[in-house]
């Protein structure tokens, strides 16, 4: 009774590829609903138009390219519609994190890369941490939709903090909040941050603040995730009135793209059900200066309404 | 600046395999939370103990083997810990539906297969539709946990009906039901089924009935899914009081395993938040007779409490 089932056989395989940490972080954000309505990685035209005009070719507002780049020219060999297995660079053994249906593979020229980085990061200087990370990923851009298997190391490393966008919307519903201010942080919060959140709550007559931490890769010198987490939880415990702060986090590497990243932060907080976002005086290194020490040009925070 | 990222290169690949419709249905049920706390396909020892004692080697109650079988002896070549891509037999082009981390590959002997089918289906007769389907899948059992990419054709073919276990729990919460009777069906409901649901509601003082349809592969002669769906919706619209019936479905092929399948139906309705299950007089073909026409030995239905 051992009939053949057709296309079986261990001699077949699908091609795989270890992707960059940035591409893996994009996959996690896509899977966690933060990057709705995107369904995968952008192609060259999308990446260029997003960089220049903050619009995809379908006229969707999007502030930064969401891409899968590689240094490997062999990627040009993929065929349209082929499924490839994307392997997670951040977990030992590099398990598959997603399956990508390849739409196209294109090569970015020096000019393309210049357009992207100068628009997104405000500079083409390789000393800028965002520019450096972007360029190191390579110039072959593999576009196409992805289906994601897991949230990488985030749920195991941050079991009490990592949450998807729908999970956060559920927390907000359970808390009974209809007006929520998101506060972005990659570091412990100091006294001024605490006051900033409370002022936003007060002036907007908001129900609460979502303290929403970057759980992904940080730059050298940033405070480790577990220290930041404990510090923030202690601050909320001692200094915030009951049911006015929810602490959570998302799995994404910092891009250090300044104002563009602030807009991305706004987009994905909107996907998580927040109504407002506090944008810092130097949000995601808006004020980075390459040739001189980083210093603020303007000391101010703004709260933007996500409508 | 084009640094190497290490293990890149399109010459690498992960092995893939088109799986049986039954194994794909298992993947969908695992992904949709219906088969909690299972995390993948059982090995030979689990399958045999489940068949004989309805317990896994970890002493978890489970009524039927949840397995990935193949006719292909090349599967024996897989190594422990290897990731393989499982391809969906029910979608054109056979896209990847899941990644399995292979634990082991074993061969079932004639005696193993006899133990499984006689315990699970009550017979080893190849004319039994469940026995036939089981045996046609082959005797090489690929065990190991899986991570699932999508719910196969169910969400696109049944957009208004397919739901995961957490989605059903949410529907029940929204409806404000704390006592819910599940009614299993693979066919349109007739007048006696309607009455049965209402009697169960009445006698249990339950809040409502979940009419929960099998959306997977049926046996020849069963009513097509769309016809069944429309018929049931019309019946509920005309004959059920408001907020006493929720219509939904799950993506699973009928096994025709009789009482064992009734227990599986109980387990996964419990995972979906139901408190009771109506078990029919011939639930999942409990009364199938191979050598004579199927006929009831006992006309009765029972309602079981899922506690």
């Amino acid at each position: 009774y051992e009939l053949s089932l057709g296309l079986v056989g261990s001699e077949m395989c699908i091609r795989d590829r270890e992707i960059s940490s940035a591409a893996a972080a994009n996959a996690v954000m896509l899977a966690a609903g933060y990057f709705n309505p995107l369904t995968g990685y952008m192609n060259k035209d999308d990446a260029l138009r997003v960089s220049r005009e903050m619009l995809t070719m379908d006229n969707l507002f999007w502030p930064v390219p969401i891409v899968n780049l590689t240094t490997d020219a062999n990627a040009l060999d993929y065929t349209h519609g082929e499924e490839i297995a994307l392997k997670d660079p951040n977990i030992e053994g590099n398990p598959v994190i997603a399956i990508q249906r390849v739409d196209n593979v294109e090569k970015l020229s020096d000019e393309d890369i210049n357009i992207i980085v100068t628009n997104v990061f405000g500079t083409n200087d390789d000393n800028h941490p965002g520019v450096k990370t972007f360029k190191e990923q390579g110039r072959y851009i593999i576009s196409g939709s992805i289906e994601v298997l897991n949230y990488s190391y985030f749920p195991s490393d941050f079991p009490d903090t990592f949450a998807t966008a729908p999970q956060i919307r559920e927390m907000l519903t359970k808390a009974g909040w209809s007006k929520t201010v998101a506060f972005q942080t990659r570091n412990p919060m100091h006294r001024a941050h605490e006051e900033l959140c409370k002022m936003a709550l007060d002036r907007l007559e908001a129900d609460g603040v979502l303290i929403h931490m970057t759980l992904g890769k940080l730059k050298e010198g940033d405070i480790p995730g577990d220290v930041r987490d404990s510090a923030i939880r202690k601050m909320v415990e001692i200094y915030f009135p009951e049911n006015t702060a929810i602490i959570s986090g998302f799995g994404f590497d910092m891009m250090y793209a300044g104002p563009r990243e602030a807009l991305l932060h706004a987009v994905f907080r909107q996907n998580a059900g927040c109504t407002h976002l506090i944008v810092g005086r130097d949000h995601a290194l808006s004020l980075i200066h390459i040739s001189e020490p980083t210093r603020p040009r303007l000391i101010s925070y703004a709260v933007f309404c996500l409508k």
Side-chain angles (χ1 to χ4, degrees), chain A:
Chain A
Y1 51 73
E2 292 198 347
L3 306 175
S4 167
L5 283 169
L7 293 168
V8 294
S10 57
E11 74 287 352
M12 297 184 353
C13 65
I14 70 170
R15 295 194 267 190
D16 63 12
R17 165 169 299 282
E18 185 183 334
I19 55 175
S20 67
S21 181
N26 286 338
V28 170
M29 291 297 276
L30 285 160
Y34 284 114
F35 282 179
N36 282 353
L38 299 184
T39 57
Y41 299 113
M42 294 177 183
N43 62 21
K44 179 168 148 174
D45 282 348
D46 278 321
L48 287 170
R49 189 167 184 217
V50 158
S51 300
R52 276 192 285 231
E53 304 177 56
M54 296 200 277
L55 292 173
T56 67
M57 299 307 285
D58 290 338
N59 294 312
L60 173 73
F61 170 78
W62 205 267
V64 300
I66 303 300
V67 288
N68 183 13
L69 292 167
T70 177
T71 57
D72 178 15
N74 291 326
L76 291 167
D77 185 42
Y78 293 141
T79 55
H80 174 79
E82 175 177 354
E83 285 189 312
I84 60 172
L86 309 184
K87 308 193 93 173
D88 192 336
N90 295 319
I91 292 186
E92 206 184 309
N94 306 122
V96 176
I97 185 173
I99 300 289
Q100 180 172 5
R101 183 173 290 275
V102 175
D103 184 43
N104 204 356
V105 185
E106 298 156 289
K107 185 175 180 179
L108 298 177
S109 67
D110 284 346
E111 182 49 24
D112 294 332
I113 289 175
N114 185 51
I115 289 167
I116 293 171
V117 298
T118 51
N119 278 288
V120 172
F121 301 100
T123 175
N124 193 350
D125 189 323
D126 290 357
N127 291 313
H128 184 292
V131 173
K132 181 167 178 284
T133 301
F134 184 86
K135 287 186 177 176
E136 280 177 357
Q137 292 172 64
R139 59 172 70 227
Y140 299 97
I141 178 167
I142 310 170
S143 58
S145 62
I146 59 168
E147 286 184 320
V148 184
L149 286 159
N150 57 58
Y151 300 117
S152 191
Y153 62 93
F154 299 108
S156 54
D157 280 19
F158 306 97
D160 302 324
T161 305
F162 175 78
T164 66
Q167 285 169 341
I168 289 184
R169 285 201 301 270
E170 207 182 313
M171 291 178 209
L172 302 182
T173 304
K174 276 194 184 151
W177 297 0
S178 57
K179 199 187 272 188
T180 304
V181 184
F183 181 77
Q184 152 70 30
T185 187
R186 65 174 197 276
N187 275 318
M189 292 165 70
H190 53 56
R191 181 71 183 87
H193 291 143
E194 177 202 327
E195 198 51 41
L196 190 62
C197 288
K198 289 177 174 172
M199 285 164 61
L201 286 177
D202 190 46
R203 297 206 189 152
L204 291 166
E205 298 180 348
D207 299 303
V209 59
L210 173 72
I211 299 172
H212 203 204
M213 294 179 234
T214 302
L215 303 176
K217 298 255 162 129
L218 306 169
K219 68 174 175 49
E220 233 178 294
D222 285 346
I223 307 280
D226 55 336
V227 176
R228 173 196 53 205
D229 203 289
S230 304
I232 290 176
R233 288 184 188 279
K234 199 67 187 173
M235 177 201 66
V236 167
E237 183 194 319
I238 300 179
Y239 297 113
F240 276 71
E242 205 136 321
N243 198 25
T244 61
I246 289 173
I247 299 166
S248 190
F250 59 101
F252 192 56
D253 295 1
M254 282 296 294
M255 300 178 69
Y256 302 104
R260 288 297 187 100
E261 195 164 354
L263 289 170
L264 184 71
H265 285 162
V267 166
F268 72 74
R269 267 49 176 254
Q270 204 170 28
N271 276 333
C274 299
T275 52
H276 295 77
L277 172 71
I278 297 173
V279 175
R281 59 161 184 79
D282 186 16
H283 199 98
L285 288 196
S286 2
L287 306 176
I288 204 163
H289 293 274
I290 301 307
S291 48
E292 47 181 316
T294 298
R295 55 167 172 68
R297 281 179 294 194
L298 183 66
I299 308 277
S300 66
Y301 285 84
V303 182
F304 289 93
C305 179
L306 306 176
K307 292 272 160 92

